[in-house]
């Protein structure tokens, strides 16, 4: 039906929240429906992610994406013209074949994923459905627990903390709105406490909106978060989590990890994490080890009563996820569509995770835009958990605000995942 038929596809260069250029794609159908999607940008990227095509040269310090834009406008657009936007798998397959490389390095993963997501958005609009219902169907009703990343380190913050994200999760709330109110109260209170103790510079926020106190010890960060939670009387309503982003701490030559200004062995690093997990009853740890250490992930998954999430380990790629499943490495998949490069492949990975009892944590990239497809996907997948930063920068609050709208629209059908965030259905 012409209403759903691709008439034109047009990409352009826009900026993410760090000022890094990224791809935005418009898919327009013969019926005049517009699907527009922005591609987020990672900084602590996994080695096995889809290729991000950048221009090089002087313009935007080499980070321009005009080549990827041109690939959409000159190559992909004519290939997909006339296709039905509801045929997501065929659209994605056509682009994968057209590219022909393992990592989408010819056309660029950033070009392909932009078209893939814009096609889905056009299909949803043409079907007169919100995106979360178009993707998730009538069962899409679970509002995710937000993983609120309030103290930042690693490559995404100007601090000396090694771990990238020190996270709090409001699992005791009854609704998503209540969770955000509680979480935001803690954000305000934590800011005040940190400023009193360390001075006002801690209020300079990092890439995902977390504070930047001059700490080096992860225990100090977790203690500060706990203290803020307790002072507000929330006690057990929150649990804690981490994204270690261990790739960024790993020295491949020596097989050591950087931890508080020292290089420690893999074993010492694992022991440290195990102690931390037990001491703080951590509910979730992402990327505790570097991306090739499936054995180490499996060991931590066995020994800890903590959700172990694979980000750089899996890169939302079903092949790597299946290897992990066979070995018992991690028990949750961090879900980032642009890591793999098409919506179809990302959905395949999510459903594969569910089939094997793995959780799915829908995730931002550190470089987001105002586009809110991420929030829709969290509900579409009934994922039960979303990681999209602190509630203080518009590219993060855009996701939370969209979740408020979805919660309102679902009315009585909406269910907040709460303590069932790993298996919400
Ligand atoms: P990235 O990192 O988006 O910068 O790759 C976020 C994360 O590691 O979860
Ligand atoms: Zn991560």
């Amino acid at each position: 039906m012409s209403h759903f038929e691709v008439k034109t596809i047009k990409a352009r260069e826009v900026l993410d929240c760090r000022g890094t250029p990224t791809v935005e794609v418009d898919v327009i159908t013969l019926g005049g429906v517009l699907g527009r999607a922005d591609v987020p940008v990672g900084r602590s990227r996994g080695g096995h992610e889809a290729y991000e095509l950048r221009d090089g040269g002087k313009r935007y310090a080499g980070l321009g994406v005009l080549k990827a834009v041109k690939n959409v406008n000159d190559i992909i657009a004519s290939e997909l013209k006339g296709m039905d936007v509801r045929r997501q798998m065929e659209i994605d397959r056509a682009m994968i074949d057209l590219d022909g490389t393992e990592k989408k390095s010819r056309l660029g993963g950033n070009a392909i994923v932009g078209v893939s997501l814009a096609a889905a958005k056009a299909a949803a609009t043409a079907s007169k459905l919100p995106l979360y219902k178009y993707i998730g169907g009538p069962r899409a009703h679970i509002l995710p627990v937000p993983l609120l990343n309030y103290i930042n380190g690693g490559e995404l913050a100007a601090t000396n903390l090694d771990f990238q994200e020190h996270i709090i999760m409001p699992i005791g709330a009854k609704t998503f709105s209540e969770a955000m109110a509680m979480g935001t109260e803690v954000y305000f209170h934590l800011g005040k406490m940190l400023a009193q103790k360390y001075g006002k510079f801690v209020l300079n926020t990092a890439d995902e909106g977390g504070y930047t106190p001059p700490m080096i010890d992860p225990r100090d960060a977790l203690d500060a978060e706990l203290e803020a939670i307790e002072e507000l009387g929330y006690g057990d309503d929150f649990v804690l989590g981490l994204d270690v982003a261990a790739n960024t701490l790993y020295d491949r030559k020596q097989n050591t990890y950087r931890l508080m200004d020292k290089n420690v062995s893999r074993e010492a690093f694992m022991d440290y994490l195990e102690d931390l997990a037990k001491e703080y009853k951590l509910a979730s740890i992402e990327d505790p080890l570097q991306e090739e250490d499936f054995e180490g992930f499996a060991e931590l998954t066995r020994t800890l009563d903590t959700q172990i999430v694979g980000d750089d380990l899996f890169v939302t790629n079903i092949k790597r996820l299946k290897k992990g499943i066979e070995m018992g490495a991690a028990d949750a998949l961090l879900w980032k569509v642009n890591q793999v490069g098409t919506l179809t492949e990302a959905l395949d990975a999510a459903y594969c995770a569910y089939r094997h009892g793995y959780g799915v944590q829908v995730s931002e990239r550190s470089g987001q835009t105002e586009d809110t497809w991420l929030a829709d996907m969290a509900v579409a997948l009934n994922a039960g958990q979303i990681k999209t930063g602190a509630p203080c920068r518009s590219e993060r609050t855009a996701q939370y605000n969209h979740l408020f709208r979805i919660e309102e629209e679902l009315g009585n059908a909406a269910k907040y995942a709460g303590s069932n965030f790993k298996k919400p259905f």
Side-chain angles (χ1 to χ4, degrees):
M1 221 170 71
S2 69
H3 202 51
F4 296 96
E5 209 173 291
V6 175
K7 182 172 162 231
T8 43
I9 300 181
K10 173 149 182 29
R12 68 181 64 81
E13 190 179 58
V14 296
L15 299 179
D16 80 356
C17 60
R18 282 187 287 238
T20 305
T22 191
V23 179
E24 179 172 86
V25 178
D26 289 356
V27 168
I28 299 166
T29 71
L30 271 182
V33 168
L34 165 69
R36 173 174 291 160
D38 292 354
V39 179
V41 181
R43 178 168 279 169
S44 75
R45 293 164 47 82
H48 299 277
E49 294 196 23
Y51 185 75
E52 190 177 60
L53 181 58
R54 297 210 172 265
D55 300 338
K58 187 164 165 288
R59 188 175 170 276
Y60 277 119
L63 296 173
V65 290
L66 294 182
K67 286 180 186 164
V69 164
K70 195 166 162 26
N71 287 345
V72 174
N73 293 342
D74 294 358
I75 303 174
I76 297 175
S78 51
E79 182 75 13
L80 302 189
K81 195 173 172 165
M83 284 180 83
D84 186 320
V85 282
R86 291 168 299 185
R87 300 195 170 254
Q88 187 75 41
M89 291 171 74
E90 284 171 30
I91 286 174
D92 290 344
R93 172 52 53 195
M95 289 192 285
I96 291 167
D97 290 346
L98 191 60
D99 178 84
T101 67
E102 179 74 19
K103 288 176 124 184
K104 304 182 174 65
S105 51
R106 187 168 93 84
L107 299 172
N110 45 345
I112 292 172
V113 79
V115 176
S116 180
L117 289 162
K121 287 176 89 173
T125 306
S127 305
K128 299 193 168 47
L129 287 171
L131 185 61
Y132 73 93
K133 274 205 179 134
Y134 170 72
I135 300 287
R139 282 196 24 75
H141 70 293
I142 292 178
L143 272 293
V145 170
L147 281 95
L148 302 164
N149 166 21
Y150 283 177
I151 295 185
N152 292 180
E155 292 194 350
L156 305 181
T159 65
N160 291 319
L161 285 161
D162 297 311
F163 299 168
Q164 196 168 276
E165 301 169 6
H166 306 78
I167 290 165
I168 69 167
M169 301 167 66
I171 57 162
K174 297 206 173 38
T175 63
F176 175 76
S177 307
E178 192 188 11
M180 288 309 300
M182 289 160 58
T184 306
E185 287 166 32
V186 176
Y187 184 69
F188 295 157
H189 193 61
L190 179 64
K192 257 189 234 153
M193 280 175 38
L194 291 173
Q196 254 164 24
K197 188 156 176 194
Y198 298 100
K200 62 185 177 185
F201 291 115
V202 302
L203 302 176
N204 290 330
T205 57
D207 290 8
E208 293 168 350
Y211 297 121
T212 52
M215 301 168 168
I216 65 158
D217 189 335
R219 280 188 168 84
D220 289 342
L222 296 173
D223 285 341
E225 292 184 338
L226 274 182
E227 204 179 316
I229 289 165
E230 266 149 32
E231 278 187 16
L232 291 176
Y234 282 132
D236 295 342
D237 287 334
F238 284 84
V239 287
L240 302 181
L242 288 175
D243 179 6
V244 175
N247 257 354
T248 63
L249 307 174
Y250 184 60
D251 183 327
R252 216 158 284 279
K253 281 205 194 92
Q254 301 184 43
N255 192 25
T256 56
Y257 289 88
R258 195 182 69 238
L259 181 63
M260 291 184 268
D261 284 338
K262 292 200 186 71
N263 286 325
V264 304
S265 70
R266 170 182 178 271
E267 288 63 38
F269 195 67
M270 287 172 75
D271 287 346
Y272 178 82
L273 288 173
E274 288 184 70
D275 287 348
L276 213 58
K278 287 179 188 149
E279 194 177 324
Y280 290 90
K281 297 194 185 72
L282 297 180
S284 183
I285 306 181
E286 179 186 333
D287 279 358
L289 294 163
Q290 55 97 1
E291 65 194 9
E292 307 300 352
D293 194 352
F294 282 78
E295 288 87 6
F297 268 80
E299 191 180 323
L300 291 173
T301 310
R302 268 195 313 275
T303 53
L304 291 178
D305 189 21
T306 301
Q307 169 177 262
I308 304 292
V309 187
D311 174 11
D312 296 338
L313 180 75
F314 295 141
V315 290
T316 319
N317 182 315
I318 199 165
K319 281 193 203 137
R320 291 183 67 86
L321 175 63
K322 280 184 171 163
K323 179 175 171 187
I325 289 167
E326 265 165 35
M327 296 176 65
D331 56 3
L333 166 74
L334 199 78
W335 195 79
K336 292 171 165 171
V337 181
N338 74 325
Q339 280 183 324
V340 66
T342 63
L343 181 57
T344 300
E345 291 165 289
L347 291 173
D348 283 350
Y351 294 129
C352 176
Y354 289 146
R355 272 198 305 281
H356 293 90
Y358 275 48
V360 173
Q361 190 177 110
V362 169
S363 173
E364 69 193 338
R365 301 307 304 245
S366 52
Q368 281 289 134
T369 72
E370 321 77 62
D371 193 342
T372 53
W373 57 259
L374 191 77
D376 281 286
M377 293 298 171
V379 181
L381 288 170
N382 284 330
Q385 32 187 336
I386 188 169
K387 190 177 82 156
T388 187
C392 77
R393 299 173 41 136
S394 296
E395 75 283 359
R396 319 283 152 193
T397 52
Q399 310 302 333
Y400 296 130
N401 291 343
H402 196 55
L403 285 165
F404 289 138
R405 289 178 209 115
I406 294 176
E407 185 177 48
E408 180 186 287
E409 184 180 294
L410 283 168
N412 288 338
K415 186 172 158 223
Y416 178 59
S419 55
N420 297 324
F421 63 88
K422 198 188 146 202
K423 289 196 176 140
F425 61 91

